[in-house]
Amino acid sequence: MAEETKKEERSLNFLEEIIEEDLKNGKYKSIVTRFPPEPNGYLHMGHATSICLNFGLAQKYGGYTNLRFDDTNPVTEETEYVESIKEDIKWLGFQWENEHYASDYFDELYQFAVSLIKKGLAYVDDLTAEEIAEMKGTPTEPGKDSPYRNRKVEENLDLFERMKKGDFPDGTHTLRAKIDMAHTNMLMRDPLLYRIKHASHHQTGDKWCIYPMYDFAHGQSDSIENVTHSICTMEFVPHRELYDWLIEKLEIYPSHQYEFARRNLSYTVMSKRKLLQLVNEKYVDGWDDPRMPTISGMRRRGYTPESIRDFCDRVGIAKRENLTDLGLLEFCVREHLNKVALRRMVVFDPLKVVLTNYNEQPGETEMLTSENNPEEETATHRDIPFGKELYIEREDFMENPPKKFFRLAPGKMVRLKSAYIIRCDEVIKDANGHITELHCSYIPESQSGNDTSGISVKGTLHWVSLKHAITAELRLYDRLFKVEDPSKEEGDFKEYINPGSLQTIKAVYAEPALKNAKFDERYQFLRKGYFTLDKDSSTSGMIFNRTVTLKDSWKAGDSKAN
RNA sequence: UGCCUUGUAGUAUAAUGGUAGUACGACAGAUUCUGGCUCUGUAUGUCAGGGUUCGAAUCCUUGCAAGGCAACCA
């Protein structure tokens, strides 16, 4: 009875344990989570973790997830970001139940504030930002009460209403909770609830000139939406005490906050501030530069939503600080792409091969066939033209090869993928000793699928017919930073940018089947890596982004070292 | 020198008082018409000391280390 649901017993993470406990003891019948981005930037891998967590948990336990824009600061937030955030979530494969904005609740929030004032739990302060900071004390010293702390309820009500009406300029008044200026938790030292900002809001326009602070909006919005499990990152742990205090004093639906450690990825940076710098100072091409850890960047790079979700699953969550290996993400990308990418042959750095014993009839082309993907259950194929003159990869030939070099060398044989076995007979060089072409002979009986030659070779090379090759531009991406954790290094993080993070090859030679490349297809250029068509492609030329290289267990160093 | 959080192979994450496991990575091998995929094997770990217990990664205690907290940001 119990065995049908559990394919394999995966252990629960700490949030799943909490939720299962809550469900089991009847605290909730189903759960509600939320994804609460602030619309002031693009989503990145860290957000993807949160999205997978929040939507994944709700899915697993039969609840739902709201998308809620945490838009309480009109001066930094824009509609442009709202759209990109929604697009990114959908692309990742998730659908929210309701689309909300913290700004939808401004009226209710205002009423909450009024009720707090009436209970004598909030007051209008006339102190300046500097004075408030000064009187806040330090983590080791208590703060001092504001001289306005004990105003009468009526006076507070009147002042707060006038704040709302626009009677005061920015920064002259704030609404603060009346808690304890000597509290060991700095956030409980009469935190600000409302501030005056005569600024136009992307949703509410000029209706308001006072805006609630995060602490007076987030938990309250959770409560209004009956969010059961409000999941955020560890830096909000100290906020939980205030989160609970406000809900208790307001006597509203008790949402609960749980914290997990944000995910860090090696060889990149994740803070909005740093990513913004990379964009503004032109270290990258924009928010969707394929080297960026943004969702749009990863999408353009060719990462699939499946692989990102798989990555988030495999990494899991916990509460300790972490730096996850970028290699794991790349593994997930390769694993998925291996299953879905169409195989194509592309020569990056051509070396001409002439098959001296191959007879070519004018006007006739021998067509060979090759599978699109050996992983497919039912194989599909494409045709590839063969010819007397071919290109192979220059690095696939060595005049004086080391012992374990399985590729082409004078007198040695290799197979051309899906074609014939060839033998290198002669190396042709120019006056400078530079190799210009190879003269080879092919074994007619060795044709792929009809091989009666009895010859077995160790190496197989990719190739293209010189006459039929089409050209394309390639953008080879590598990790953005040279060091594992740029933000932990001395000095400016930008000093650690990998100068070789983008290498462009203007013209490579590809088999003609690549002419029909589509934006939503993924390709494996045989023995080279996974690629996808870039949006910069035009009718005049195709441009491919390298998503990730193939795993390469052949140590070039073994041979090149000497 | 206050409060909060966290310390398990290189990395990430399990074990919830009872055999320290899994994945990625590394290394070795098999297989291969991609030096890919797949398969097999190997190495590497509980921050330190003390205590409770038949038994501690787990509970207690003292240290140590890392991170967070003093924005009218979220």
Side-chain angles (χ1 to χ4, degrees):
Chain A
M1 297 299 266
E3 75 278 19
E4 78 280 6
T5 45
K6 44 177 117 168
K7 299 179 184 115
E8 62 188 80
E9 209 142 334
R10 203 182 126 258
S11 48
L12 304 175
N13 64 45
F14 76 98
L15 289 174
E16 292 169 327
E17 279 180 15
I18 290 168
I19 291 171
E20 293 203 358
E21 186 59 29
D22 287 345
L23 255 21
K24 202 172 77 185
N25 66 26
K27 187 170 174 184
Y28 306 112
K29 285 202 184 66
S30 65
I31 66 165
V32 180
T33 60
R34 103 269 90 115
F35 176 63
E38 184 187 11
N40 71 346
Y42 287 84
L43 260 29
H44 54 60
M45 191 63 217
H47 296 108
T49 305
S50 175
I51 290 169
C52 291
L53 229 202
N54 278 296
F55 284 89
L57 249 17
Q59 249 164 35
K60 177 170 180 179
Y61 294 105
Y64 63 84
T65 306
N66 287 341
L67 168 60
R68 186 179 68 237
F69 291 96
D70 233 335
D71 56 352
T72 56
N73 187 358
V75 302
T76 59
E77 294 151 5
E78 294 168 29
T79 311
E80 169 202 351
Y81 296 117
V82 169
E83 292 312 314
S84 84
I85 287 169
K86 285 158 68 173
E87 183 189 347
D88 286 348
I89 298 170
K90 282 191 237 169
W91 178 78
L92 269 178
F94 295 104
Q95 184 56 56
W96 51 91
E97 179 85 1
N98 305 110
E99 177 181 334
H100 292 303
Y101 295 78
S103 53
D104 293 343
Y105 309 132
F106 281 173
D107 284 302
E108 275 164 283
L109 261 19
Y110 182 83
Q111 288 311 317
F112 285 160
V114 168
S115 88
L116 228 41
I117 293 171
K118 285 181 177 163
K119 288 177 181 176
L121 294 171
Y123 62 96
V124 173
D125 201 344
D126 301 357
L127 257 26
T128 64
E130 296 69 37
E131 289 166 331
I132 288 175
E134 206 173 305
M135 294 178 75
K136 202 121 197 178
T138 70
T140 53
E141 302 162 58
K144 294 192 196 71
D145 286 1
S146 164
Y148 306 98
R149 195 171 197 264
N150 293 313
R151 287 217 248 235
K152 297 274 178 296
V153 169
E154 286 66 32
E155 188 184 2
N156 281 320
L157 249 19
D158 175 59
L159 285 168
F160 188 50
E161 182 166 1
R162 290 175 60 198
M163 279 168 67
K164 179 193 176 196
K165 277 177 17 199
D167 287 0
F168 309 115
D170 290 6
T172 54
H173 299 269
T174 56
L175 183 73
R176 301 178 71 179
K178 192 169 174 179
I179 306 180
D180 178 4
M181 287 307 290
H183 205 288
T184 53
N185 181 349
M186 298 288 293
L187 280 156
M188 299 295 275
R189 320 243 262 225
D190 289 11
L192 267 64
L193 268 23
Y194 266 93
R195 77 285 215 194
I196 301 172
K197 275 181 194 281
H198 290 271
S200 185
H201 188 281
H202 74 110
Q203 288 287 322
T204 59
D206 295 319
K207 180 178 176 191
W208 297 88
C209 63
I210 57 171
Y211 293 93
M213 299 288 289
Y214 166 86
D215 286 304
F216 199 65
H218 200 103
Q220 288 55 50
S221 302
D222 285 341
S223 181
I224 290 167
E225 295 175 21
N226 282 13
V227 168
T228 56
H229 300 264
S230 179
I231 299 162
C232 61
T233 45
M234 294 294 285
E235 69 265 31
F236 291 99
V237 169
H239 292 251
R240 189 176 61 230
E241 197 170 7
L242 179 54
Y243 183 105
D244 291 340
W245 187 91
L246 285 167
I247 282 181
E248 185 200 325
K249 301 303 180 195
L250 255 16
E251 299 174 83
I252 54 179
Y253 180 85
S255 297
H256 290 280
Q257 174 183 303
Y258 302 92
E259 311 86 11
F260 70 99
R262 67 153 31 113
R263 179 139 327 285
N264 298 299
L265 247 195
S266 61
Y267 299 102
T268 190
V269 293
M270 209 73 95
S271 86
K272 269 185 202 170
R273 203 193 96 250
K274 293 199 175 88
L275 294 176
L276 187 64
Q277 271 186 64
L278 293 175
V279 173
N280 286 346
E281 297 169 29
K282 308 278 187 218
Y283 289 95
V284 295
D285 198 15
W287 285 100
D288 67 346
D289 184 294
R291 291 165 293 182
M292 292 281 274
T294 50
I295 303 210
S296 51
M298 295 190 287
R299 176 166 60 228
R300 187 171 171 192
R301 172 101 171 226
Y303 288 12
T304 60
E306 289 89 338
S307 59
I308 293 172
R309 279 188 258 126
D310 183 37
F311 171 74
C312 291
D313 273 0
R314 284 174 186 264
V315 171
I317 52 143
K319 299 177 89 150
R320 68 174 128 138
E321 208 196 340
N322 59 77
L323 182 63
T324 303
D325 190 356
L326 177 65
L328 180 61
L329 211 207
E330 294 182 334
F331 166 83
C332 295
V333 171
R334 286 191 188 102
E335 186 169 68
H336 184 227
L337 256 21
N338 178 47
K339 293 194 178 75
V340 300
L342 265 24
R343 311 293 131 121
R344 295 292 183 262
M345 294 200 282
V346 179
V347 172
F348 290 18
D349 182 15
L351 174 60
K352 185 174 166 185
V353 167
V354 179
L355 301 179
T356 50
N357 64 337
Y358 186 82
N359 292 316
E360 210 165 32
Q361 307 301 325
E364 269 182 38
T365 301
E366 180 180 6
M367 295 304 284
L368 301 169
T369 181
S370 189
E371 69 259 326
N372 280 318
N373 183 341
E375 309 287 323
E376 283 179 326
E377 322 77 54
T378 47
T380 60
H381 297 82
R382 83 232 187 236
D383 293 330
I384 310 173
F386 195 65
K388 188 180 180 70
E389 295 185 320
L390 311 169
Y391 283 139
I392 64 166
E393 210 69 66
R394 189 165 281 273
E395 65 175 17
D396 284 338
F397 174 80
M398 276 186 97
E399 217 174 352
N400 300 297
K403 218 174 258 140
K404 290 219 171 152
F405 189 76
F406 299 148
R407 310 176 189 181
L408 200 57
K412 293 286 193 65
M413 293 197 284
V414 290
R415 170 166 295 281
L416 297 180
K417 172 73 182 174
S418 298
Y420 299 91
I421 292 174
I422 62 169
R423 182 181 54 232
C424 176
D425 302 320
E426 196 183 352
V427 181
I428 312 296
K429 297 179 184 174
D430 64 15
N432 303 319
H434 181 72
I435 300 171
T436 54
E437 63 181 60
L438 264 24
H439 284 186
C440 300
S441 44
Y442 86 113
I443 317 295
E445 308 80 50
S446 67
Q447 193 192 63
S448 293
N450 303 300
D451 189 351
T452 56
S453 69
I455 303 169
S456 76
V457 294
K458 197 79 171 140
T460 301
L461 306 185
H462 62 281
W463 55 275
V464 294
S465 161
L466 187 151
K467 197 165 63 182
H468 305 93
I470 61 170
T471 60
E473 177 180 327
L474 253 41
R475 292 176 184 172
L476 309 181
Y477 295 103
D478 198 355
R479 48 194 52 165
L480 225 199
F481 288 89
K482 298 182 285 194
V483 295
E484 274 203 317
D485 194 351
S487 47
K488 279 253 183 348
E489 299 286 338
E490 295 274 311
D492 188 352
F493 76 100
K494 296 191 294 297
E495 291 168 27
Y496 301 93
I497 288 176
N498 173 11
S501 62
L502 167 59
Q503 188 199 337
T504 303
I505 306 181
K506 284 295 175 191
V508 296
Y509 298 86
E511 60 170 289
L514 201 62
K515 201 180 301 178
N516 306 317
K518 298 185 194 69
F519 283 100
D520 56 354
E521 290 281 21
R522 310 302 155 118
Y523 301 93
Q524 184 197 102
F525 293 172
L526 236 57
R527 305 206 300 137
K528 284 300 192 180
Y530 294 100
F531 288 79
T532 196
L533 202 57
D534 187 78
K535 67 173 188 185
D536 286 348
S537 297
S538 65
T539 44
S540 57
M542 290 190 294
I543 300 172
F544 289 91
N545 293 325
R546 182 172 70 194
T547 308
V548 65
T549 59
L550 248 31
K551 193 174 155 194
D552 188 2
S553 59
W554 185 63
K555 301 284 182 301
D558 290 355
S559 56
K560 283 174 187 162
N562 273 325

